[in-house]
Amino acid sequence: MSAFNLVMLGPPGAGKGTQAARFAAARGIPKISTGDILREAVKSGTELGLRAKAVMDRGELVSDEMMIGIVEQRLGRPDAASGFILDGFPRTVAQAQALDGIMRGRAPLLVVDIQVPDAELVRRLTSRLICSGCGANAPEGLLAGTPEAATALCAKCGGVFIQRADDNEAVVRERLRVYERNTRPLVEYYRARPTFCAIDGAQTADRVASSVASAVDRASVAASVGPGGGVR
Ligand code: AMP
């Protein structure tokens, strides 16, 4: 299949990170998560981390200027030249417009929107765990507050599982409000493109993964066929 670049859209807790990681591994392209980049910066105490931490802890968005700079630099690295998956970016229309600019002259941008009802998102986010060492998601079914979670170790690095600082209910609700206000308009920004696909995210991770794979295949075909029907 020809090269492409993928954006995973969807509210917090929709499964973007999980699906992006699976898809990236299956297709051999890097997953670029702006949330992971920021959490890494917080952990290592860099200037970016110090500036981002308070904003993240409140569930608000880091500035467009800072995020666009981070992503532009990351997409310029050689491993992203033959395709990438973005998870958590863009989150505002200004970021999406900047991404369109960065994408000029590169392979087509496919957009997959993972849709999940709010009540399910709150349930998922307040019970999810990540590895304190490498940041990977805990295995499906390992939930915060259970005895199993207290003793389980990450299969990748041996780290213990913890809740994200922004996964408590008050911050989760703020993140969902921020999503509605700033990020939902992106669905409209992309919807009319032939390379946009919506997916039902309220299914098992395996089913969502196969929906993502077939949506990407359909969108890649649409991307190689111009709007007028001719193959580009
Ligand atoms: P995530 O892991 O994608 O849920 O991101 C965690 C937090 O990092 C968000 O709640 C924001 O505070 C910040 N963040 C991540 N990506 C972006 C972005 N593209 N624009 C602004 N803030 C972001």
PDB file of all heavy atoms in Angstrom, residues 34-35 38-39 56 60-62 67 88-89 91 95 164 166 175, ligand 1:
ATOM      1  N   THR A  34       1.219  13.504  21.409  1.00  0.00           N
ATOM      2  CA  THR A  34       1.655  14.753  22.046  1.00  0.00           C
ATOM      3  C   THR A  34       1.502  14.665  23.564  1.00  0.00           C
ATOM      4  O   THR A  34       2.299  15.226  24.303  1.00  0.00           O
ATOM      5  CB  THR A  34       0.876  15.954  21.483  1.00  0.00           C
ATOM      6  OG1 THR A  34      -0.508  15.633  21.401  1.00  0.00           O
ATOM      7  CG2 THR A  34       1.393  16.339  20.119  1.00  0.00           C
ATOM      8  N   GLY A  35       0.490  13.910  24.044  1.00  0.00           N
ATOM      9  CA  GLY A  35       0.341  13.715  25.495  1.00  0.00           C
ATOM     10  C   GLY A  35       1.562  12.997  26.061  1.00  0.00           C
ATOM     11  O   GLY A  35       2.103  13.376  27.103  1.00  0.00           O
ATOM     12  N   LEU A  38       4.543  15.321  26.206  1.00  0.00           N
ATOM     13  CA  LEU A  38       4.437  16.258  27.336  1.00  0.00           C
ATOM     14  C   LEU A  38       4.682  15.542  28.671  1.00  0.00           C
ATOM     15  O   LEU A  38       5.386  16.061  29.540  1.00  0.00           O
ATOM     16  CB  LEU A  38       3.064  16.937  27.339  1.00  0.00           C
ATOM     17  CG  LEU A  38       2.796  17.884  26.165  1.00  0.00           C
ATOM     18  CD1 LEU A  38       1.336  18.334  26.150  1.00  0.00           C
ATOM     19  CD2 LEU A  38       3.710  19.104  26.214  1.00  0.00           C
ATOM     20  N   ARG A  39       4.097  14.348  28.838  1.00  0.00           N
ATOM     21  CA  ARG A  39       4.308  13.619  30.113  1.00  0.00           C
ATOM     22  C   ARG A  39       5.776  13.270  30.302  1.00  0.00           C
ATOM     23  O   ARG A  39       6.308  13.340  31.404  1.00  0.00           O
ATOM     24  CB  ARG A  39       3.437  12.352  30.162  1.00  0.00           C
ATOM     25  CG  ARG A  39       1.998  12.641  30.617  1.00  0.00           C
ATOM     26  CD  ARG A  39       1.177  11.379  30.770  1.00  0.00           C
ATOM     27  NE  ARG A  39       0.924  10.751  29.498  1.00  0.00           N
ATOM     28  CZ  ARG A  39      -0.043  11.124  28.646  1.00  0.00           C
ATOM     29  NH1 ARG A  39      -0.870  12.087  28.971  1.00  0.00           N
ATOM     30  NH2 ARG A  39      -0.193  10.514  27.500  1.00  0.00           N
ATOM     31  N   MET A  56      -1.799  20.805  32.184  1.00  0.00           N
ATOM     32  CA  MET A  56      -2.273  19.423  32.032  1.00  0.00           C
ATOM     33  C   MET A  56      -3.039  18.976  33.266  1.00  0.00           C
ATOM     34  O   MET A  56      -4.084  18.326  33.166  1.00  0.00           O
ATOM     35  CB  MET A  56      -1.090  18.482  31.787  1.00  0.00           C
ATOM     36  CG  MET A  56      -0.406  18.714  30.472  1.00  0.00           C
ATOM     37  SD  MET A  56       1.130  17.798  30.354  1.00  0.00           S
ATOM     38  CE  MET A  56       0.529  16.152  29.992  1.00  0.00           C
ATOM     39  N   GLU A  60      -6.642  21.442  30.943  1.00  0.00           N
ATOM     40  CA  GLU A  60      -6.742  22.446  29.868  1.00  0.00           C
ATOM     41  C   GLU A  60      -5.731  22.132  28.760  1.00  0.00           C
ATOM     42  O   GLU A  60      -4.975  21.180  28.868  1.00  0.00           O
ATOM     43  CB  GLU A  60      -6.481  23.837  30.467  1.00  0.00           C
ATOM     44  CG  GLU A  60      -7.592  24.229  31.429  1.00  0.00           C
ATOM     45  CD  GLU A  60      -7.238  25.452  32.270  1.00  0.00           C
ATOM     46  OE1 GLU A  60      -6.214  26.099  31.989  1.00  0.00           O
ATOM     47  OE2 GLU A  60      -8.002  25.717  33.209  1.00  0.00           O
ATOM     48  N   LEU A  61      -5.729  22.976  27.722  1.00  0.00           N
ATOM     49  CA  LEU A  61      -4.832  22.718  26.592  1.00  0.00           C
ATOM     50  C   LEU A  61      -3.575  23.579  26.665  1.00  0.00           C
ATOM     51  O   LEU A  61      -3.635  24.766  26.980  1.00  0.00           O
ATOM     52  CB  LEU A  61      -5.545  23.015  25.264  1.00  0.00           C
ATOM     53  CG  LEU A  61      -6.718  22.119  24.904  1.00  0.00           C
ATOM     54  CD1 LEU A  61      -7.273  22.505  23.525  1.00  0.00           C
ATOM     55  CD2 LEU A  61      -6.341  20.643  24.918  1.00  0.00           C
ATOM     56  N   VAL A  62      -2.456  22.969  26.332  1.00  0.00           N
ATOM     57  CA  VAL A  62      -1.193  23.681  26.178  1.00  0.00           C
ATOM     58  C   VAL A  62      -1.334  24.565  24.917  1.00  0.00           C
ATOM     59  O   VAL A  62      -2.109  24.240  24.015  1.00  0.00           O
ATOM     60  CB  VAL A  62      -0.053  22.651  26.051  1.00  0.00           C
ATOM     61  CG1 VAL A  62       1.276  23.305  25.733  1.00  0.00           C
ATOM     62  CG2 VAL A  62       0.043  21.817  27.332  1.00  0.00           C
ATOM     63  N   MET A  67       2.531  23.619  20.922  1.00  0.00           N
ATOM     64  CA  MET A  67       2.238  22.286  20.393  1.00  0.00           C
ATOM     65  C   MET A  67       2.613  22.177  18.915  1.00  0.00           C
ATOM     66  O   MET A  67       3.144  21.154  18.471  1.00  0.00           O
ATOM     67  CB  MET A  67       0.746  21.948  20.560  1.00  0.00           C
ATOM     68  CG  MET A  67       0.282  21.863  21.988  1.00  0.00           C
ATOM     69  SD  MET A  67       1.335  20.889  23.088  1.00  0.00           S
ATOM     70  CE  MET A  67       1.375  19.319  22.283  1.00  0.00           C
ATOM     71  N   GLY A  88      -3.593  12.621  19.620  1.00  0.00           N
ATOM     72  CA  GLY A  88      -3.697  13.772  20.526  1.00  0.00           C
ATOM     73  C   GLY A  88      -3.381  15.098  19.855  1.00  0.00           C
ATOM     74  O   GLY A  88      -3.403  16.143  20.498  1.00  0.00           O
ATOM     75  N   PHE A  89      -3.087  15.073  18.586  1.00  0.00           N
ATOM     76  CA  PHE A  89      -2.818  16.282  17.787  1.00  0.00           C
ATOM     77  C   PHE A  89      -3.377  16.051  16.404  1.00  0.00           C
ATOM     78  O   PHE A  89      -3.151  14.967  15.850  1.00  0.00           O
ATOM     79  CB  PHE A  89      -1.312  16.551  17.706  1.00  0.00           C
ATOM     80  CG  PHE A  89      -0.968  17.848  17.010  1.00  0.00           C
ATOM     81  CD1 PHE A  89      -0.703  18.992  17.738  1.00  0.00           C
ATOM     82  CD2 PHE A  89      -0.924  17.911  15.616  1.00  0.00           C
ATOM     83  CE1 PHE A  89      -0.391  20.189  17.088  1.00  0.00           C
ATOM     84  CE2 PHE A  89      -0.625  19.102  14.970  1.00  0.00           C
ATOM     85  CZ  PHE A  89      -0.346  20.243  15.712  1.00  0.00           C
ATOM     86  N   ARG A  91      -5.676  19.303  18.158  1.00  0.00           N
ATOM     87  CA  ARG A  91      -6.752  19.410  19.137  1.00  0.00           C
ATOM     88  C   ARG A  91      -7.524  20.704  18.987  1.00  0.00           C
ATOM     89  O   ARG A  91      -8.486  20.921  19.716  1.00  0.00           O
ATOM     90  CB  ARG A  91      -6.144  19.362  20.536  1.00  0.00           C
ATOM     91  CG  ARG A  91      -6.351  18.043  21.274  1.00  0.00           C
ATOM     92  CD  ARG A  91      -5.766  18.221  22.637  1.00  0.00           C
ATOM     93  NE  ARG A  91      -6.188  17.270  23.599  1.00  0.00           N
ATOM     94  CZ  ARG A  91      -5.553  16.128  23.878  1.00  0.00           C
ATOM     95  NH1 ARG A  91      -4.510  15.767  23.175  1.00  0.00           N
ATOM     96  NH2 ARG A  91      -5.996  15.368  24.851  1.00  0.00           N
ATOM     97  N   GLN A  95      -4.431  24.238  15.175  1.00  0.00           N
ATOM     98  CA  GLN A  95      -3.442  23.162  15.039  1.00  0.00           C
ATOM     99  C   GLN A  95      -3.679  22.377  13.744  1.00  0.00           C
ATOM    100  O   GLN A  95      -2.731  21.982  13.059  1.00  0.00           O
ATOM    101  CB  GLN A  95      -3.502  22.210  16.243  1.00  0.00           C
ATOM    102  CG  GLN A  95      -3.032  22.841  17.547  1.00  0.00           C
ATOM    103  CD  GLN A  95      -3.099  21.881  18.733  1.00  0.00           C
ATOM    104  OE1 GLN A  95      -3.282  20.683  18.595  1.00  0.00           O
ATOM    105  NE2 GLN A  95      -2.966  22.433  19.943  1.00  0.00           N
ATOM    106  N   ARG A 164      -3.114   8.230  35.811  1.00  0.00           N
ATOM    107  CA  ARG A 164      -2.604   9.514  35.341  1.00  0.00           C
ATOM    108  C   ARG A 164      -3.098  10.606  36.273  1.00  0.00           C
ATOM    109  O   ARG A 164      -4.207  10.527  36.791  1.00  0.00           O
ATOM    110  CB  ARG A 164      -3.117   9.790  33.915  1.00  0.00           C
ATOM    111  CG  ARG A 164      -2.203   9.244  32.859  1.00  0.00           C
ATOM    112  CD  ARG A 164      -2.765   9.372  31.491  1.00  0.00           C
ATOM    113  NE  ARG A 164      -3.285  10.686  31.142  1.00  0.00           N
ATOM    114  CZ  ARG A 164      -3.634  11.037  29.911  1.00  0.00           C
ATOM    115  NH1 ARG A 164      -3.497  10.166  28.917  1.00  0.00           N
ATOM    116  NH2 ARG A 164      -4.117  12.223  29.645  1.00  0.00           N
ATOM    117  N   ASP A 166      -4.246  13.356  35.609  1.00  0.00           N
ATOM    118  CA  ASP A 166      -5.447  14.045  35.106  1.00  0.00           C
ATOM    119  C   ASP A 166      -6.612  13.084  34.884  1.00  0.00           C
ATOM    120  O   ASP A 166      -7.584  13.430  34.228  1.00  0.00           O
ATOM    121  CB  ASP A 166      -5.121  14.828  33.823  1.00  0.00           C
ATOM    122  CG  ASP A 166      -4.540  13.960  32.714  1.00  0.00           C
ATOM    123  OD1 ASP A 166      -4.283  12.762  32.956  1.00  0.00           O
ATOM    124  OD2 ASP A 166      -4.353  14.472  31.596  1.00  0.00           O
ATOM    125  N   ARG A 175     -11.776  17.909  30.987  1.00  0.00           N
ATOM    126  CA  ARG A 175     -11.181  17.529  29.698  1.00  0.00           C
ATOM    127  C   ARG A 175     -12.269  17.260  28.660  1.00  0.00           C
ATOM    128  O   ARG A 175     -12.104  17.566  27.482  1.00  0.00           O
ATOM    129  CB  ARG A 175     -10.267  16.303  29.882  1.00  0.00           C
ATOM    130  CG  ARG A 175      -8.952  16.690  30.566  1.00  0.00           C
ATOM    131  CD  ARG A 175      -8.254  15.512  31.177  1.00  0.00           C
ATOM    132  NE  ARG A 175      -7.861  14.524  30.203  1.00  0.00           N
ATOM    133  CZ  ARG A 175      -7.705  13.222  30.489  1.00  0.00           C
ATOM    134  NH1 ARG A 175      -7.910  12.774  31.703  1.00  0.00           N
ATOM    135  NH2 ARG A 175      -7.333  12.403  29.544  1.00  0.00           N
TER     136      ARG A 175
HETATM  137  P1  AMP B   1      -3.595  13.178  26.144  1.00  0.00           P
HETATM  138  O1  AMP B   1      -2.597  12.184  26.641  1.00  0.00           O
HETATM  139  O2  AMP B   1      -3.680  13.235  24.648  1.00  0.00           O
HETATM  140  O3  AMP B   1      -4.955  13.020  26.796  1.00  0.00           O
HETATM  141  O4  AMP B   1      -3.059  14.632  26.606  1.00  0.00           O
HETATM  142  C1  AMP B   1      -2.905  14.953  27.969  1.00  0.00           C
HETATM  143  C2  AMP B   1      -2.867  16.462  28.150  1.00  0.00           C
HETATM  144  O5  AMP B   1      -1.743  17.005  27.432  1.00  0.00           O
HETATM  145  C3  AMP B   1      -4.081  17.213  27.608  1.00  0.00           C
HETATM  146  O6  AMP B   1      -5.165  17.229  28.523  1.00  0.00           O
HETATM  147  C4  AMP B   1      -3.485  18.608  27.358  1.00  0.00           C
HETATM  148  O7  AMP B   1      -3.320  19.313  28.573  1.00  0.00           O
HETATM  149  C5  AMP B   1      -2.080  18.269  26.840  1.00  0.00           C
HETATM  150  N1  AMP B   1      -2.061  18.093  25.356  1.00  0.00           N
HETATM  151  C6  AMP B   1      -1.784  16.961  24.653  1.00  0.00           C
HETATM  152  N2  AMP B   1      -1.844  17.185  23.330  1.00  0.00           N
HETATM  153  C7  AMP B   1      -2.188  18.490  23.173  1.00  0.00           C
HETATM  154  C8  AMP B   1      -2.443  19.319  22.043  1.00  0.00           C
HETATM  155  N3  AMP B   1      -2.360  18.843  20.780  1.00  0.00           N
HETATM  156  N4  AMP B   1      -2.772  20.618  22.266  1.00  0.00           N
HETATM  157  C9  AMP B   1      -2.855  21.119  23.516  1.00  0.00           C
HETATM  158  N5  AMP B   1      -2.651  20.387  24.631  1.00  0.00           N
HETATM  159  C10 AMP B   1      -2.309  19.081  24.475  1.00  0.00           C
END
